[in-house]
Amino acid sequence: MNYSENKLLSANQLKSWDQFTIQNLPIPSIDLMEKAGKACTDWISNHFPFQSSFHIICGKGNNGGDGLVIAHHLSKLGKKVCVGILPEPKTGSHDFELNFQRISSNTYISYYSLNPDSLQHYLLQEDLIIDALLGNGTNRICEGQLAQLISLLNQTSNTKVSIDLPSGLACDSYLNNTPENTIQSDYTLTFQAPKLSFFFPETGKFAGKWEVLDIGLLPSFLEALTTPYHHTNPVFIGKKLKKRGKFDHKGNFGHALLIGGSPGKIGAMVLAGRSALRSGIGLLTLGIPTGNAPIIHTSLPEAMVMEIDLSSTAHIQALGTYQSVGIGPGLGMAKKTQELVLHVIQNCSAGLVLDADALNTLALHPEWLQYLPPNCILTPHPKEFDRLFGFFPNSFERIEAQVKLSKQYNCIIVLKGGHTSISLPDGELFFNTSGNPGMATGGSGDCLTGILTALLAQSYSPKDASLIGVFLHGLAGDLALQSNSMESLLPEDCIQHLGKAFQQLRLLSSESPTFP
């Protein structure tokens, strides 16, 4: 697996990759199907070694053919295998029919014509269900008897493993997916590259835990392919980290200014400041409302304090003395505070991060978006994004808008979520793959702001600062979860694991691990 090629492909591009491999390796399509089915069987037997009975539900396309290959190999392992096959169409794809001939003469495999009644007759409570009904070609909502089958399967308590995609889920579009028309899988074994739909909350929830299986498609196709969508991995991110020299000093790692805090919300600045200090910054100044310095001096003795009188911006005229500026955590929405946001946007020539109330201020004054400095970083969650740019009915439409808006305003948008998406002014978009639901708590965004601001101060490009910062933040949360529960995880736990996250990224990038 080439970890620099972390591209997300459309359904048509994935189909072309198959054909390119078949023609140029060369390899017969039936042999490629055999490799895919064998890879799935190996994964299933490794993860469910004690499972004795399997129920495979197959359509008559190539996804169903993959299911038949799995049936064959499971039977060779001595497993009990029952296969349900959709009656329509009467004739399946060429490779499906070849594999059906093979299993039809296998006395260790039973098969039947699949419909809601026959499924209830043949399915056993102890069976592991393998879903090979529909694959990468899905482009319309499942209806009729097929939808009845899917709904029935979702009502069972059986563990479900989908092949390539959960049946009913499209690779790269939203089909109003519900449990009545889309298989709710526990695991999805997807071929060669993750699918775009895995990264959206409306569709990704159907995939469960997904694994990418390498089935030997030619990498030269991917290397030459242009696509706007990418995903991150620890090797890709780790290789972007800078190394420190023996004679480096604090002046080499930048001076940042973090502006925020308001009555009752100074804690947001403590979290942002502590995250920045744990992310390698040389010097940090916190700009907070007058009268709150003792809180910072007590909790963050490593940081300097600049008390801000909101009746004047004269004391922060020298924004150019900082290598980066972050504004927003706990800032509040007072009129003078809004004027402060405008002042920073119009006068900041350093790397700039806008979060929380800085974004809410822009939502009240959308005309100020024209003043955003090039390559500044905006970090909204979905509701803040919608306040800024208008309501979007689903994540697919929101992502499309995100890409366009990054181009329009020449900025980087970090749209926070289960798979935070990072859009760049050149039209590229990256989905982050670290982090966990335990991080869905107040203060997590403040930590991210501190990390991003610190990386910018260390002369990382805005693109690399965004990619590294988001992944690092999520990885710290994953490491913290090892000694916490989802419910108990706090932003402070993530901050305490930033050091281990840096260590792990450097280690993994040097060892080139065998997982995506």
Side-chain angles (χ1 to χ4, degrees):
M1 185 80 63
N2 185 343
Y3 292 98
S4 65
E5 293 295 347
N6 51 348
K7 298 172 182 175
L8 293 172
L9 280 61
S10 68
N12 288 334
Q13 288 171 326
L14 287 162
K15 183 178 180 181
S16 297
W17 196 1
D18 279 347
Q19 293 302 314
F20 180 86
T21 301
I22 290 167
Q23 295 169 10
N24 293 277
L25 193 56
I27 182 174
S29 59
I30 189 70
D31 289 349
L32 191 60
M33 181 177 286
E34 182 73 13
K35 292 181 69 173
K38 182 62 167 59
C40 291
T41 306
D42 290 344
W43 188 95
I44 291 167
S45 60
N46 286 334
H47 286 76
F48 299 95
F50 304 112
Q51 181 74 32
S52 60
S53 64
F54 295 84
H55 200 105
I56 305 178
I57 50 173
C58 297
K60 287 189 173 179
N62 285 342
N63 191 250
D66 295 331
L68 298 181
V69 174
I70 295 169
H72 169 74
H73 285 289
L74 285 174
S75 72
K76 288 175 65 177
L77 295 174
K79 307 294 185 180
K80 179 184 175 182
V81 182
C82 181
V83 181
I85 302 174
L86 289 176
E88 298 295 335
K90 290 185 178 181
T91 302
S93 70
H94 176 72
D95 292 343
F96 173 91
E97 293 295 338
L98 289 176
N99 276 296
F100 179 71
Q101 292 175 22
R102 180 166 65 171
I103 73 148
S104 63
S105 59
N106 187 330
T107 57
Y108 295 98
I109 300 174
S110 62
Y111 61 92
Y112 66 96
S113 179
L114 179 63
N115 59 56
D117 291 335
S118 63
L119 175 67
Q120 293 183 81
H121 176 75
Y122 286 101
L123 180 63
L124 303 177
Q125 188 174 2
E126 63 268 23
D127 288 344
L128 185 149
I129 296 173
I130 297 175
D131 161 34
L133 284 173
L134 303 172
N136 193 42
T138 300
N139 57 15
R140 58 191 176 89
I141 298 172
C142 292
E143 298 174 328
Q145 191 172 90
L146 182 56
Q148 293 176 35
L149 270 170
I150 288 172
S151 180
L152 185 61
L153 284 162
N154 284 339
Q155 294 171 40
T156 70
S157 60
N158 302 62
T159 298
K160 302 171 189 66
V161 178
S162 287
I163 306 306
D164 206 23
L165 280 157
S167 292
L169 193 67
C171 171
D172 51 15
S173 60
Y174 179 48
L175 300 178
N176 293 314
N177 300 96
T178 70
E180 284 69 49
N181 60 35
T182 309
I183 291 285
Q184 177 66 70
S185 296
D186 297 288
Y187 303 91
T188 297
L189 307 181
T190 197
F191 299 138
Q192 212 65 49
K195 308 303 185 276
L196 185 64
S197 57
F198 293 174
F199 295 92
F200 297 99
E202 298 92 337
T203 48
K205 62 185 178 183
F206 292 99
K209 296 180 180 179
W210 49 268
E211 291 275 346
V212 177
L213 302 184
D214 188 345
I215 62 172
L217 299 186
L218 283 175
S220 56
F221 175 88
L222 190 61
E223 292 163 4
L225 188 69
T226 299
T227 174
Y229 297 120
H230 305 76
H231 63 95
T232 59
N233 62 62
V235 177
F236 173 75
I237 296 297
K239 290 186 180 300
K240 293 180 175 292
L241 291 179
K242 296 180 178 182
K243 295 181 180 179
R244 294 199 171 196
K246 177 180 179 180
F247 298 103
D248 285 338
H249 53 83
K250 64 184 179 183
N252 295 117
F253 305 116
H255 186 182
L257 173 64
L258 276 171
I259 304 171
S262 58
K265 296 181 180 180
I266 297 299
M269 289 296 285
V270 174
L271 291 172
R274 189 167 287 145
S275 297
L277 290 166
R278 289 285 185 184
S279 299
I281 198 167
L283 292 167
L284 176 65
T285 295
L286 299 185
I288 58 172
T290 300
N292 291 279
I295 297 174
I296 302 302
H297 290 316
T298 302
S299 56
L300 288 177
E302 300 90 348
M304 294 175 282
V305 175
M306 177 175 65
E307 293 192 297
I308 297 175
D309 177 2
L310 291 180
S311 65
S312 172
T313 57
H315 50 287
I316 57 169
Q317 290 297 328
L319 288 171
T321 62
Y322 301 98
Q323 280 69 57
S324 67
V325 177
I327 182 170
L331 188 64
M333 296 293 293
K335 182 178 179 181
K336 288 293 185 180
T337 301
Q338 295 176 37
E339 293 174 2
L340 175 63
V341 172
L342 178 60
H343 173 82
V344 170
I345 290 173
Q346 290 183 317
N347 292 279
C348 183
S349 59
L352 178 61
V353 180
L354 299 167
D355 182 36
D357 285 332
L359 299 175
N360 292 328
T361 294
L362 284 176
L364 289 178
H365 304 279
E367 69 278 8
W368 292 357
L369 287 167
Q370 63 182 307
Y371 302 127
L372 291 176
N375 290 302
C376 67
I377 302 172
L378 282 61
T379 62
H381 55 59
K383 285 188 177 180
E384 289 170 339
F385 184 91
D386 287 0
R387 285 190 209 116
L388 268 168
F389 302 116
F391 174 75
F392 297 91
N394 60 68
S395 297
F396 285 81
E397 294 186 32
R398 189 176 289 110
I399 289 294
E400 289 181 5
Q402 180 186 353
V403 172
K404 293 177 182 177
L405 289 161
S406 280
K407 289 181 180 179
Q408 179 180 347
Y409 293 108
N410 195 21
C411 67
I412 295 172
I413 300 176
V414 175
L415 179 53
K416 294 179 287 193
H419 287 289
T420 293
S421 54
I422 302 153
S423 55
L424 307 176
D426 64 3
E428 284 188 302
L429 184 136
F430 289 79
F431 288 96
N432 186 58
T433 57
S434 64
N436 62 78
M439 300 174 70
T441 186
S444 287
D446 303 321
C447 293
L448 178 60
T449 297
I451 295 168
L452 295 172
T453 306
L455 293 172
L456 286 174
Q458 295 168 72
S459 298
Y460 283 96
S461 69
K463 172 184 175 179
D464 285 351
S466 299
L467 295 176
I468 296 169
V470 172
F471 194 93
L472 184 73
H473 182 229
L475 180 57
D478 291 338
L479 292 170
L481 190 61
Q482 294 175 8
S483 55
N484 285 278
S485 69
M486 292 280 192
E487 296 82 0
S488 68
L489 198 66
L490 291 174
E492 181 62 37
D493 300 319
C494 300
I495 295 170
Q496 293 302 321
H497 285 80
L498 280 170
K500 289 185 178 179
F502 273 106
Q503 288 179 335
Q504 190 169 112
L505 282 177
R506 292 192 187 280
L507 179 64
L508 293 176
S509 64
S510 63
E511 290 185 350
S512 296
T514 56
F515 55 86

